[in-house]
Amino acid sequence: MKTNFTIRQEESKDFFTVENLVREAFWNVYQPGCDEHFIVNHYRSNPDFIKELSLVLEVDDKIIGYIMYSKAQIDCNDGTKLDVATFGPLAIHPDFQRQGFGKILVDYSLEKAKELGIPCVLICGSGEFYGKSGFVPATTKGIRYADDSEGDALYFLCKELKEDFLKDIFGIYHDPKGYFVTHENPEDFEKYDLQFPKKEKLKLPGHIF
Ligand SMILES: CC(C)(COP(=O)(O)OP(=O)(O)OC[C@H]1O[C@@H](n2cnc3c(N)ncnc32)[C@H](O)[C@@H]1OP(=O)(O)O)[C@@H](O)C(=O)NCCC(=O)NCCS
């Protein structure tokens, strides 16, 4: 078991370090370059941001991991809306990946989310990774991802923090608007990214964007 780490809420003095860490972790992973650091930068002033769940993981007083959560909603088929949460970006610095820190940070944040009364968390991601923290495909619980036309996406996952919260619930989940900030402000993003160290954008096999 790992013991040489601490997890705490992000503070304003961490903002640049966190954004640079997120950029390092996501760079060229899903697209040439990345924009997840811009999403974090904007989310902090978004009413959907859950500051208690904006968490940094430190090893030897150095931030090597970060996760943030957003309020989200399920549009139920009966016309009601159900308050839930989502998380991301989740980032572990490339030098510290595959050492268990990602899972530790996810599990810790889920415990905190439960303490805050969040009943359910929905995310898109790897079933292999998040399955270890108890996530299952959300379609098995009656919730469909809005972008999934077939309604069988295995990458759309959920975890109930309140037992049977999704029992008898059927609905659609849309990503909260805060995650689309780059598409809405492409020029602001280009300017914002210039403050970080120069990195080469590469088009790699397996990119989803
Ligand atoms: C994804 C990420 C957060 C995982 O963190 P990590 O610290 O590397 O993961 P862990 O060491 O805790 O992994 C625990 C287990 O999950 C699985 N796992 C980890 N990363 C995985 C991946 N990318 N794909 C599939 N399974 C993965 C493995 O089974 C791993 O155990 P193993 O190393 O013994 O095989 C980290 O690699 C990262 O920051 N990646 C870039 C950004 C990103 O993709 N974020 C998540 C977006 S959904």
Side-chain angles (χ1 to χ4, degrees):
M1 199 179 94
K2 288 207 169 291
T3 53
N4 64 332
F5 67 90
T6 53
I7 299 175
R8 62 168 173 82
Q9 194 176 320
E10 180 196 39
E11 297 171 29
S12 53
K13 67 175 165 65
D14 306 319
F15 288 174
F16 183 80
T17 307
V18 163
E19 289 165 39
N20 193 42
L21 159 71
V22 170
R23 185 174 182 261
E24 288 292 326
F26 278 87
W27 193 260
N28 290 336
V29 174
Y30 298 103
Q31 59 181 316
C34 69
D35 67 351
E36 282 78 0
H37 50 312
F38 190 58
I39 294 173
V40 173
N41 178 276
H42 271 250
Y43 237 115
R44 295 194 192 96
S45 55
N46 183 325
D48 286 339
F49 185 67
I50 306 174
K51 65 176 189 327
E52 297 87 345
L53 297 177
S54 177
L55 300 170
V56 296
L57 186 151
E58 291 178 307
V59 172
D60 296 332
D61 295 328
K62 187 170 173 271
I63 295 174
I64 63 100
Y66 177 71
I67 192 167
M68 60 148 275
Y69 279 64
S70 168
K71 294 177 193 165
Q73 286 187 325
I74 296 170
D75 290 324
C76 300
N77 292 358
D78 66 4
T80 57
K81 288 185 186 294
L82 214 48
D83 288 333
V84 293
T86 186
F87 66 67
L90 160 68
I92 300 295
H93 189 281
D95 293 348
F96 290 84
Q97 290 176 6
R98 300 307 277 251
Q99 297 174 40
F101 290 116
K103 182 172 185 313
I104 287 170
L105 190 50
V106 168
D107 290 349
Y108 179 91
S109 69
L110 289 169
E111 277 302 315
K112 285 270 158 214
K114 192 174 174 176
E115 282 169 30
L116 289 174
I118 291 169
C120 176
V121 177
L122 289 136
I123 50 158
C124 286
S126 153
E128 194 184 336
F129 176 60
Y130 293 111
K132 290 176 194 278
S133 296
F135 281 84
V136 296
T139 49
T140 65
K141 301 278 180 180
I143 314 300
R144 190 161 70 79
Y145 188 52
D147 289 357
D148 170 27
S149 51
E150 304 293 317
D152 57 1
L154 291 175
Y155 59 82
F156 178 51
L157 307 168
C158 74
K159 179 170 166 111
E160 291 164 294
L161 300 179
K162 193 170 165 193
E163 206 179 331
D164 288 337
F165 180 73
L166 294 175
K167 192 164 184 275
D168 301 327
I169 301 289
F170 297 93
I172 297 187
Y173 172 86
H174 299 258
D175 288 314
K177 275 190 70 152
Y179 286 99
F180 300 100
V181 61
T182 316
H183 303 284
E184 287 159 10
N185 304 279
E187 284 160 16
D188 289 355
F189 168 64
E190 292 303 330
K191 266 189 244 157
Y192 159 84
D193 195 53
L194 290 174
Q195 69 188 296
F196 295 94
K198 211 168 163 42
K199 288 175 85 73
E200 193 185 355
K201 288 185 185 177
L202 297 174
K203 176 81 193 136
L204 300 174
H207 277 172
I208 53 178
F209 301 115

